[in-house]
Amino acid sequence: MVENMDQKYTYEDFLRIIKTLRGESGCPWDRVQTHESLKPCMMEEAAELLASIRIYDQTGNPENMQEELGDVLLQVVMHAEIAAEEGLFTMEDVVDEVSRKMIRRHPHVFGTCSADTSEEALVNWEEIKKEEKKHKEWIDSPLREIPRELPALTRAAKVLKRIDKNYEKGNSYEQNVESLQEAVEALRTCSHEPYSRELEKIMGDILMRVSDIARIAKISQEQVLTDRVEDLIEKYDGTDPDGRFSY
């Protein structure tokens, strides 16, 4: 198949292209990929998609976002094609399952339930999702449902929120601030030798308290830290001469 600049390729064309790449006469690299080997690719493509959304916000040009969405779709279809070769499921099964999920989790649109606000719609979604997860044998607790592959700050906030909701009421904002102050005081006196286990534990306590404060305040700590790192870069590469962020 040679690229035809006059042709508008379809979703079905794309599926056939991926199948060809994975076939006997396909690409040597694509043919040897596995679910495991493609994990870094999915992480990178997801990050590049997020970057493309930022670029669109800054420039109003959607070209990069269109390209990156295609790269994420490529990863999805590659995994589905590998699964089909293994006799597990097909891309059609993936589309069918997510379609059913969207109908099932939007009873206020496709059923008789009502939801007048986004908050009410989210409650519906979470309740239905909770009921669905009861039948997943690989999930042995509400906390284990949260993937360990998430960034640690994001995972911490989700675990703390789930504990607060399913087990016991979490600490208040004020309690966390007090515990944070205690941990910082301990930090002043502890050994800061390389690989200090004591320092590691105290830093873990500090990060966990900060995560809980962010959870209570509904602040994305990943985004906050990303913004501060960007401020630091702008200060030192000369694009922010006022030095908004003092390091």
Side-chain angles (χ1 to χ4, degrees):
M1 179 186 295
V2 179
E3 180 184 6
N4 184 344
M5 299 302 294
D6 298 324
Q7 178 180 349
K8 186 78 170 181
Y9 291 96
T10 66
Y11 172 71
E12 288 72 23
D13 290 330
F14 183 59
L15 296 184
R16 285 193 292 270
I17 290 169
I18 301 305
K19 188 178 290 290
T20 299
L21 291 173
R22 289 281 302 177
E24 290 186 10
S25 301
C27 171
W29 186 89
D30 290 289
R31 288 175 58 193
V32 299
Q33 297 312 304
T34 65
H35 296 300
E36 190 68 25
S37 71
L38 287 174
K39 284 167 65 175
C41 298
M42 178 62 87
M43 292 177 63
E44 291 170 14
E45 297 301 353
E48 289 177 6
L49 173 59
L50 295 179
S52 76
I53 295 171
R54 171 175 50 79
I55 292 169
Y56 170 68
D57 275 346
Q58 292 172 345
T59 68
N61 187 336
E63 181 179 341
N64 185 236
M65 182 161 51
Q66 175 181 315
E67 178 184 350
E68 297 303 339
L69 280 167
D71 288 345
V72 171
L73 178 60
L74 166 61
Q75 294 303 310
V76 172
V77 174
M78 279 285 285
H79 280 286
E81 180 60 28
I82 293 170
E85 295 165 6
E86 296 171 341
L88 303 176
F89 54 80
T90 66
M91 190 64 203
E92 289 76 11
D93 294 327
V94 173
V95 172
D96 177 69
E97 173 60 27
V98 73
S99 298
R100 292 177 185 277
K101 180 189 290 185
M102 290 301 99
I103 293 171
R104 193 167 60 243
R105 294 192 185 178
H106 291 83
H108 49 286
V109 177
F110 300 106
T112 57
C113 179
S114 64
D116 298 323
T117 66
S118 61
E119 289 78 12
E120 291 175 352
L122 185 59
V123 169
N124 286 343
W125 177 283
E126 291 295 339
E127 287 301 318
I128 295 168
K129 179 179 178 180
K130 183 177 179 181
E131 187 62 28
E132 291 171 354
K133 297 300 182 183
K134 289 180 180 178
H135 309 294
K136 308 295 185 183
E137 64 273 11
W138 60 86
I139 299 174
D140 54 10
S141 84
L143 302 182
R144 290 295 178 192
E145 178 189 348
I146 301 169
R148 65 166 59 188
E149 289 79 7
L150 283 171
L153 292 177
T154 297
R155 186 177 182 224
K158 286 182 175 292
V159 168
L160 288 163
K161 180 180 179 181
R162 193 68 59 87
I163 290 173
D164 184 66
K165 183 177 180 182
N166 291 275
Y167 294 93
E168 60 180 337
K169 194 66 178 174
N171 288 339
S172 67
Y173 184 94
E174 291 73 20
Q175 288 171 322
N176 277 309
V177 170
E178 184 176 342
S179 296
L180 182 59
Q181 290 173 332
E182 292 172 0
V184 170
E185 284 303 316
L187 193 64
R188 297 181 192 277
T189 59
C190 83
S191 167
H192 55 274
E193 293 296 320
Y195 310 110
S196 164
R197 296 294 294 175
E198 180 188 10
L199 179 59
E200 183 179 290
K201 181 182 182 303
I202 294 172
M203 287 180 64
D205 290 342
I206 289 172
L207 289 170
M208 189 63 77
R209 292 304 167 197
V210 169
S211 293
D212 212 17
I213 290 170
R215 174 190 69 84
I216 293 168
K218 300 187 184 303
I219 291 173
S220 169
Q221 50 193 328
E222 294 283 353
Q223 189 61 55
V224 167
L225 185 56
T226 296
D227 291 342
R228 289 297 176 268
V229 170
E230 191 63 26
D231 288 344
L232 186 62
I233 291 171
E234 289 179 0
K235 175 183 177 181
Y236 282 95
D237 70 9
T239 56
D240 179 22
D242 295 330
R244 287 195 306 264
F245 180 65
S246 178
Y247 179 68

